[in-house]
Amino acid sequence: QVQLEESGGELVQVGGSLRLSCAASGRTLSNYVMGWFRQAPGKEREFVAAIVWDGGKTYYTASVKGRFTISRDNAKNTVYLQMSSLKPEDTAVYYCAARNVRSTSYSYWGQGTQVTVSS
């Protein structure tokens, strides 16, 4: 079992920056992929970014490349999503998720944190 808890969401101005955190507990994250997803009102949940815990390889959806950075802190068992040059369309509830590297679906999810970008 993996428990995930997100934090860091808040109201921010267009062009601003924000860092989301996802603290994991319950087991070590070796052999796991950690992902960030988001869901805007009236829209389906979408993939944002992911990082392979072992090795640190990262993946991003096209709309956030160059603006968002996913990273991890092994000692703290925490994943971060650094967001910059924020746009109104980045407004959403952001979720942290975890899956085993051999799985194709994410098994563990956090409760979500709200990010609102105001113009």
Side-chain angles (χ1 to χ4, degrees), residues 12-16 38 40-41 43 67 85-92 94 114-119:
V12 63
Q13 297 285 337
V14 167
R38 65 187 180 187
K43 295 187 177 181
R67 300 189 299 122
S85 301
L86 284 162
K87 305 174 181 180
E89 51 264 44
D90 294 318
T91 295
Y94 283 71
Q114 176 71 49
V115 173
T116 303
V117 183
S118 172
S119 55

Short mmCIF file of all heavy atoms in Angstrom, two decimals, residues 12-16 38 40-41 43 67 85-92 94 114-119:
data_model
loop_
_atom_site.label_atom_id
_atom_site.label_comp_id
_atom_site.label_asym_id
_atom_site.label_seq_id
_atom_site.Cartn_x
_atom_site.Cartn_y
_atom_site.Cartn_z
N VAL A 12 -3.18 31.74 -7.61
CA VAL A 12 -1.97 32.42 -8.08
C VAL A 12 -2.33 33.24 -9.32
O VAL A 12 -3.27 32.91 -10.04
CB VAL A 12 -0.87 31.38 -8.39
CG1 VAL A 12 -1.27 30.45 -9.51
CG2 VAL A 12 0.46 32.06 -8.68
N GLN A 13 -1.58 34.31 -9.56
CA GLN A 13 -1.82 35.17 -10.71
C GLN A 13 -1.26 34.55 -11.98
O GLN A 13 -0.30 33.75 -11.94
CB GLN A 13 -1.17 36.52 -10.48
CG GLN A 13 -1.72 37.30 -9.30
CD GLN A 13 -3.06 37.91 -9.58
OE1 GLN A 13 -3.43 38.14 -10.73
NE2 GLN A 13 -3.84 38.16 -8.53
N VAL A 14 -1.82 34.94 -13.10
CA VAL A 14 -1.29 34.51 -14.40
C VAL A 14 0.19 34.88 -14.48
O VAL A 14 0.59 35.98 -14.10
CB VAL A 14 -2.06 35.19 -15.55
CG1 VAL A 14 -1.34 35.00 -16.87
CG2 VAL A 14 -3.47 34.62 -15.65
N GLY A 15 1.00 33.95 -14.98
CA GLY A 15 2.43 34.17 -15.08
C GLY A 15 3.20 33.81 -13.83
O GLY A 15 4.44 33.81 -13.83
N GLY A 16 2.49 33.48 -12.77
CA GLY A 16 3.14 33.16 -11.51
C GLY A 16 3.64 31.73 -11.45
O GLY A 16 3.55 30.97 -12.41
N ARG A 38 -4.32 16.14 -13.60
CA ARG A 38 -5.17 17.25 -13.21
C ARG A 38 -6.55 17.10 -13.84
O ARG A 38 -6.70 16.46 -14.88
CB ARG A 38 -4.56 18.60 -13.61
CG ARG A 38 -4.43 18.82 -15.12
CD ARG A 38 -3.66 20.10 -15.39
NE ARG A 38 -3.52 20.35 -16.82
CZ ARG A 38 -2.78 21.34 -17.33
NH1 ARG A 38 -2.12 22.16 -16.52
NH2 ARG A 38 -2.71 21.50 -18.64
N ALA A 40 -9.86 19.66 -14.62
CA ALA A 40 -10.52 20.95 -14.61
C ALA A 40 -12.03 20.73 -14.57
O ALA A 40 -12.52 19.68 -14.97
CB ALA A 40 -10.13 21.75 -15.84
N PRO A 41 -12.79 21.74 -14.11
CA PRO A 41 -14.24 21.60 -14.04
C PRO A 41 -14.83 21.24 -15.40
O PRO A 41 -14.52 21.87 -16.40
CB PRO A 41 -14.70 22.98 -13.59
CG PRO A 41 -13.54 23.53 -12.85
CD PRO A 41 -12.33 23.02 -13.56
N LYS A 43 -14.22 18.74 -17.24
CA LYS A 43 -13.30 18.05 -18.15
C LYS A 43 -12.83 16.73 -17.53
O LYS A 43 -12.94 16.53 -16.32
CB LYS A 43 -12.10 18.92 -18.48
CG LYS A 43 -12.44 20.17 -19.26
CD LYS A 43 -11.19 20.89 -19.71
CE LYS A 43 -11.52 22.11 -20.56
NZ LYS A 43 -10.28 22.81 -21.03
N ARG A 67 7.46 24.53 -18.95
CA ARG A 67 6.90 25.34 -17.87
C ARG A 67 6.85 24.59 -16.54
O ARG A 67 6.99 25.19 -15.48
CB ARG A 67 5.48 25.79 -18.24
CG ARG A 67 5.37 26.63 -19.48
CD ARG A 67 3.98 27.22 -19.65
NE ARG A 67 2.94 26.21 -19.76
CZ ARG A 67 1.89 26.12 -18.93
NH1 ARG A 67 1.76 26.99 -17.94
NH2 ARG A 67 0.97 25.18 -19.10
N SER A 85 5.14 30.15 -15.19
CA SER A 85 4.42 30.75 -16.32
C SER A 85 2.99 30.22 -16.38
O SER A 85 2.50 29.83 -17.44
CB SER A 85 5.14 30.47 -17.64
OG SER A 85 6.46 30.98 -17.61
N LEU A 86 2.34 30.22 -15.24
CA LEU A 86 1.01 29.63 -15.14
C LEU A 86 -0.02 30.40 -15.95
O LEU A 86 0.04 31.64 -16.06
CB LEU A 86 0.58 29.54 -13.69
CG LEU A 86 1.26 28.40 -12.91
CD1 LEU A 86 1.16 28.62 -11.41
CD2 LEU A 86 0.66 27.07 -13.31
N LYS A 87 -0.94 29.64 -16.53
CA LYS A 87 -2.00 30.19 -17.38
C LYS A 87 -3.36 29.84 -16.77
O LYS A 87 -3.47 28.87 -16.01
CB LYS A 87 -1.90 29.56 -18.77
CG LYS A 87 -0.55 29.68 -19.44
CD LYS A 87 -0.50 28.92 -20.75
CE LYS A 87 0.85 29.00 -21.42
NZ LYS A 87 0.90 28.25 -22.69
N PRO A 88 -4.39 30.57 -17.14
CA PRO A 88 -5.73 30.25 -16.62
C PRO A 88 -6.14 28.80 -16.92
O PRO A 88 -6.82 28.17 -16.10
CB PRO A 88 -6.63 31.24 -17.35
CG PRO A 88 -5.75 32.42 -17.62
CD PRO A 88 -4.40 31.82 -17.93
N GLU A 89 -5.70 28.27 -18.06
CA GLU A 89 -6.06 26.90 -18.41
C GLU A 89 -5.34 25.86 -17.56
O GLU A 89 -5.63 24.66 -17.67
CB GLU A 89 -5.80 26.63 -19.90
CG GLU A 89 -4.42 27.00 -20.38
CD GLU A 89 -4.40 28.38 -21.02
OE1 GLU A 89 -5.02 29.32 -20.45
OE2 GLU A 89 -3.71 28.54 -22.06
N ASP A 90 -4.43 26.28 -16.71
CA ASP A 90 -3.80 25.35 -15.76
C ASP A 90 -4.66 25.16 -14.51
O ASP A 90 -4.33 24.33 -13.66
CB ASP A 90 -2.42 25.85 -15.34
CG ASP A 90 -1.43 25.87 -16.49
OD1 ASP A 90 -1.41 24.91 -17.28
OD2 ASP A 90 -0.66 26.85 -16.60
N THR A 91 -5.72 25.94 -14.39
CA THR A 91 -6.62 25.81 -13.25
C THR A 91 -7.25 24.43 -13.22
O THR A 91 -7.85 23.99 -14.21
CB THR A 91 -7.72 26.88 -13.31
OG1 THR A 91 -7.12 28.18 -13.17
CG2 THR A 91 -8.74 26.69 -12.20
N ALA A 92 -7.09 23.74 -12.09
CA ALA A 92 -7.60 22.37 -11.98
C ALA A 92 -7.30 21.85 -10.58
O ALA A 92 -6.55 22.46 -9.82
CB ALA A 92 -6.93 21.46 -13.00
N TYR A 94 -5.21 19.11 -8.88
CA TYR A 94 -4.03 18.32 -9.25
C TYR A 94 -3.93 17.12 -8.32
O TYR A 94 -4.00 17.27 -7.09
CB TYR A 94 -2.78 19.18 -9.17
CG TYR A 94 -2.65 20.11 -10.35
CD1 TYR A 94 -3.50 21.21 -10.50
CD2 TYR A 94 -1.69 19.89 -11.33
CE1 TYR A 94 -3.38 22.05 -11.59
CE2 TYR A 94 -1.57 20.73 -12.43
CZ TYR A 94 -2.42 21.80 -12.55
OH TYR A 94 -2.32 22.64 -13.64
N GLN A 114 -6.16 21.95 -5.01
CA GLN A 114 -6.72 22.89 -5.98
C GLN A 114 -5.70 23.96 -6.37
O GLN A 114 -5.10 24.61 -5.50
CB GLN A 114 -7.95 23.57 -5.39
CG GLN A 114 -8.57 24.65 -6.28
CD GLN A 114 -9.25 24.08 -7.50
OE1 GLN A 114 -10.04 23.15 -7.40
NE2 GLN A 114 -8.96 24.65 -8.67
N VAL A 115 -5.53 24.13 -7.67
CA VAL A 115 -4.71 25.21 -8.22
C VAL A 115 -5.63 26.11 -9.04
O VAL A 115 -6.32 25.64 -9.95
CB VAL A 115 -3.56 24.69 -9.10
CG1 VAL A 115 -2.85 25.84 -9.80
CG2 VAL A 115 -2.58 23.87 -8.27
N THR A 116 -5.66 27.38 -8.70
CA THR A 116 -6.47 28.34 -9.43
C THR A 116 -5.58 29.45 -9.94
O THR A 116 -4.89 30.10 -9.15
CB THR A 116 -7.58 28.92 -8.55
OG1 THR A 116 -8.39 27.85 -8.03
CG2 THR A 116 -8.46 29.87 -9.35
N VAL A 117 -5.59 29.66 -11.25
CA VAL A 117 -4.78 30.72 -11.86
C VAL A 117 -5.72 31.83 -12.28
O VAL A 117 -6.60 31.64 -13.12
CB VAL A 117 -4.00 30.19 -13.08
CG1 VAL A 117 -3.10 31.30 -13.63
CG2 VAL A 117 -3.17 28.98 -12.68
N SER A 118 -5.53 32.98 -11.67
CA SER A 118 -6.44 34.10 -11.88
C SER A 118 -5.83 35.13 -12.81
O SER A 118 -4.66 35.48 -12.69
CB SER A 118 -6.75 34.75 -10.53
OG SER A 118 -7.48 35.95 -10.71
N SER A 119 -6.67 35.63 -13.72
CA SER A 119 -6.22 36.69 -14.61
C SER A 119 -6.72 38.04 -14.11
O SER A 119 -6.44 39.06 -14.71
CB SER A 119 -6.74 36.44 -16.03
OG SER A 119 -8.15 36.29 -16.04
#
